[in-house]
Amino acid sequence: MSSSAALPKHIHSTGDLPKVAWAKGSYVHDVDGKQYIDGSGGPAVYCIGHSNTEVNEAIKSQLDQIAHGYRYNFSSDALEELTEIIRRRCGGTMNNMVYVTGGSEAVESCLKLALQYHAARGEMSRRRFIARERSWHGNTLGALSVSGFLERKRAFEGSLLDVSRLSAVNAYRPVEGATAETVGEACAQELEDEILRVGPEKICAFIFEPVVGAAGGCVPAPPGYAKRVREICDTYGVIMISDEVMCGAGRTGVWRALETDGVEPDIMSVAKGLAAGYLPLGAAIYNDKVADAIHGKHGAPMTGHTFTAHTACCAAGVAVQKIVEREKLVERVAAMEANFVAMLKDATRDIEAVGDIRGRGFFQALELVADRKTKAPFPAERKLFMKIRAQAFENGLICYPVGGNVDGINGDVVILAPPYNVTDAELTEIVDKTAVSIRQVLKAEGLA
Ligand code: PMP
């Protein structure tokens, strides 16, 4: 049977898809025997590659002990060991966590922890969130409310939280009146202006991605931005939330993405890379300041779910993080970043449409533009990013092209997020196939 022939269309919004069979390391195979190199770890998830025997054995042996130790009845070795690992990796005062099963739940928990912090301190007026355009925080109603991604929100408008929304912070596309050098300061000022406009006593938290993922295409915070945000949040008693679901857990060459910026948030989310896709796992991690208020007044966070700290998921997280630590994979990402970027630049040098290559660590994106000078995007109707995804698939490459990064509708970027343990040869294959796929689509569209 052909891999896609019998697929009922209603299951996938993206249409007919091949059926996956098995994967090992950086390679995925479908039921027709076609091989794909995983250049993006799916959506920046599979950071140590697929079918790792050590991780699988850890999960199996945990499941042989118990299905799941429900959080109100038991702690477990897996839960305690994972907590120790995350504490050590985060450093500072990020000592407290709520475990969940994914990124949206992690963000939702971050938002609730911020609300509970203010409630515990008797500041019930602090209910409003501030977030940014061109950001993605997840698909639950709260996480969707703080997201700035028009296409994904439109159908739910009217039922979402009323959130203050600031400009996207992007050195390649600075806000009006700013340059790549001044955009950080200008955008931090926007935050302060909004806090003062609404009234600090009404503001609960500011949430942002240190390196914007799906909604912007690996857009790093400009130098100094996060530090300024930290100062502003401290000045006005606003909680600083760092959404590290996509850019965290080592993806950018440091375990906590904001380490690069020299900043500790109050609360942060982590998910995708934490258990590397072996089982669903995420966490909302909060500092001692937030913990003291919440634990002191209410005893514990008023959030969590049946599968919070699912024992097997925690065991998967422990096994993955042990490998990441033992094999120094975060350090490896940091060491290989410059070469990865150089390879991308080299491979796409002749492609006029590649306007920007940006990111941190193994989280890099290529932005396509119709005109390098004006940075005008290609019209959204062309759906270039979708065509590149299809062409890459045809060529045996999994990458992560997304659209709408310019204004929510227009814009095409291709995100690459290889496994931290990718070999040199595999990285070359990923880069080459990315460049070839982009070139083929541009040519087929009459754009090159
Ligand atoms: N936050 C960010 C920054 C993300 O990139 C994502 C997912 N792409 C989420 C939250 C939501 O995570 P999940 O899809 O695991 O619910």
Side-chain angles (χ1 to χ4, degrees):
M1 190 186 77
S2 148
S3 57
S4 57
L7 263 186
K9 277 214 165 76
H10 64 271
I11 290 181
H12 301 291
S13 58
T14 37
D16 291 348
L17 298 173
K19 197 183 283 185
V20 76
W22 62 278
K24 185 76 189 165
S26 302
Y27 290 97
V28 180
H29 302 256
D30 71 19
V31 292
D32 292 334
K34 184 171 170 132
Q35 176 177 281
Y36 309 78
I37 189 160
D38 198 350
S40 60
V45 173
Y46 314 115
C47 61
I48 61 163
H50 297 269
S51 302
N52 183 290
T53 312
E54 189 177 327
V55 180
N56 287 346
E57 287 308 319
I59 294 168
K60 284 181 219 166
S61 94
Q62 181 59 59
L63 283 172
D64 281 341
Q65 307 301 316
I66 189 168
H68 164 41
Y70 179 48
R71 69 185 171 126
Y72 284 132
N73 293 338
F74 295 107
S75 176
S76 66
D77 282 342
L79 164 60
E80 288 172 18
E81 207 175 340
L82 182 63
T83 303
E84 271 322 302
I85 291 171
I86 295 178
R87 280 184 181 149
R88 191 170 64 248
R89 285 307 222 164
C90 285
T93 69
M94 305 298 289
N95 285 317
N96 317 278
M97 39 224 99
V98 174
Y99 290 106
V100 291
T101 56
S104 301
E105 275 185 9
V107 168
E108 203 75 23
S109 303
C110 290
L111 301 177
K112 287 183 71 190
L113 285 164
L115 289 166
Q116 194 183 343
Y117 165 80
H118 292 301
R121 290 162 48 88
E123 292 197 79
M124 284 302 288
S125 62
R126 288 188 181 266
R127 303 284 93 177
R128 190 179 180 85
F129 293 102
I130 303 180
R132 306 192 316 197
E133 288 292 358
R134 309 288 90 70
S135 60
W136 179 244
H137 299 295
N139 254 330
T140 51
L141 283 176
L144 193 61
S145 296
V146 289
S147 296
F149 203 143
L150 197 65
E151 282 288 319
R152 297 183 183 183
K153 291 178 74 167
R154 244 201 283 255
F156 308 98
E157 288 300 350
S159 244
L160 301 175
L161 296 175
D162 185 16
V163 169
S164 290
R165 196 157 303 287
L166 309 181
S167 306
V169 184
N170 185 341
Y172 182 63
R173 297 182 177 280
V175 286
E176 222 181 299
T179 63
E181 288 71 38
T182 62
V183 65
E185 178 57 35
C187 290
Q189 191 54 50
E190 235 188 80
L191 171 63
E192 183 166 36
D193 293 347
E194 180 63 7
I195 292 171
L196 292 172
R197 188 189 70 79
V198 176
E201 74 287 354
K202 295 199 182 112
I203 306 294
C204 173
F206 171 60
I207 179 167
F208 77 114
E209 297 167 78
V211 184
V212 179
C218 304
V219 188
Y225 171 78
K227 267 211 167 114
R228 212 31 218 120
V229 165
R230 177 73 275 178
E231 284 166 15
I232 293 166
C233 287
D234 286 342
T235 303
Y236 299 104
V238 170
I239 289 291
M240 179 179 186
I241 303 175
S242 176
D243 180 357
E244 306 204 358
V245 166
M246 205 164 189
C247 62
R251 170 70 43 212
T252 63
V254 287
W255 203 88
R256 208 168 49 70
L258 273 184
E259 272 175 54
T260 304
D261 307 88
V263 169
E264 181 180 280
D266 294 306
I267 306 177
M268 64 182 262
S269 57
V270 65
K272 297 179 188 269
L274 187 58
Y278 282 81
L279 283 177
L281 181 68
I285 308 169
Y286 52 110
N287 67 10
D288 291 340
K289 174 182 92 179
V290 173
D292 288 348
I294 289 178
H295 300 177
K297 180 76 179 177
H298 301 133
M302 292 175 188
T303 189
H305 310 266
T306 298
F307 297 132
T308 282
H310 189 284
T311 325
C313 300
C314 289
V318 168
V320 167
Q321 292 306 319
K322 275 186 174 166
I323 292 169
V324 168
E325 211 163 352
R326 189 180 68 228
E327 298 183 4
K328 300 197 181 337
L329 294 181
V330 180
E331 296 82 341
R332 185 169 190 272
V333 168
M336 286 175 73
E337 172 180 338
N339 191 36
F340 182 29
V341 174
M343 286 164 75
L344 282 170
K345 285 192 174 149
D346 208 41
T348 59
R349 197 180 301 284
D350 62 318
I351 309 178
E352 181 66 21
V354 173
D356 194 26
I357 298 175
R358 57 169 177 260
R360 286 185 190 169
F362 273 9
F363 195 39
Q364 300 286 338
L366 303 119
E367 176 167 345
L368 301 185
V369 289
D371 183 331
R372 272 199 196 180
K373 271 209 185 72
T374 63
K375 301 179 183 173
F378 290 106
E381 305 79 63
R382 280 192 179 270
K383 296 204 177 306
L384 277 188
F385 72 98
M386 286 177 75
K387 289 172 183 160
I388 292 168
R389 177 163 45 209
Q391 184 64 58
F393 241 60
E394 183 70 30
N395 296 343
L397 166 72
I398 301 168
C399 57
Y400 191 99
V402 276
N405 63 293
V406 176
D407 55 11
I409 295 166
N410 296 287
D412 302 275
V413 289
V414 180
I415 296 176
L416 294 177
Y420 306 167
N421 54 3
V422 72
T423 65
D424 288 344
E426 288 165 353
L427 199 58
T428 302
E429 182 181 345
I430 290 167
V431 169
D432 288 351
K433 284 191 167 163
T434 301
V436 165
S437 306
I438 293 173
R439 237 182 253 122
Q440 282 172 319
V441 169
L442 291 171
K443 186 148 185 253
E445 291 287 303
L447 298 170

